[in-house]
Amino acid sequence: MITATQIRGARAMIGMSIEELAAASGLPVETVTALESGEFTGELHALFDVRSTLEAHGIIFLSSGNQDEGGPGIRLRARTSSDDGIRPENLNAANDD
């Protein structure tokens, strides 16, 4: 299972808005918002749809057993194309939606 924090972090890591994630996963914006806030009580398929959408965009979800310290996390899959994503110096609140 993935956590609300992992979903928020993954979306931010790839520069995807809530609306874009909702559209790509075929879910209502309200459902994605509830998943990210940890208040979702609906069907599990929504969580799987969000996870598979984020994985298709290069996110790897780490469980708490995947590292020596800390809890669940995320990372980017190694890129095979020339797309470098958002450079660190260009990260700001404007592209955090």
Side-chain angles (χ1 to χ4, degrees), residues 5-21 36 74 86-88 90-97:
T5 303
Q6 284 176 298
I7 296 170
R8 285 191 311 272
R11 187 176 57 75
M13 188 177 280
I14 59 175
M16 183 180 266
S17 70
I18 289 179
E19 293 79 13
E20 290 168 331
L21 179 55
E36 284 196 359
I74 55 172
I86 301 173
R87 299 201 44 84
N90 295 330
L91 291 174
N92 58 47
N95 55 31
D96 192 30
D97 290 337

Side-chain angles (χ1 to χ4, degrees), residues 55 57-60 75-84:
E55 288 174 336
H57 283 83
I59 296 295
I60 297 172
R75 65 180 287 184
L76 282 175
R77 186 177 329 119
R79 295 184 188 269
T80 57
S81 69
S82 63
D83 178 17
D84 289 334

Side-chain angles (χ1 to χ4, degrees), residues 1 6 51 60-67 71-75:
M1 208 50 75
Q6 284 176 298
R51 180 180 182 141
I60 297 172
F61 290 94
L62 305 171
S63 68
S64 59
N66 287 356
Q67 59 273 351
I74 55 172
R75 65 180 287 184

Side-chain angles (χ1 to χ4, degrees), residues 44-57:
L44 281 181
H45 78 84
L47 187 60
F48 292 114
D49 291 345
V50 166
R51 180 180 182 141
S52 63
T53 299
L54 291 168
E55 288 174 336
H57 283 83

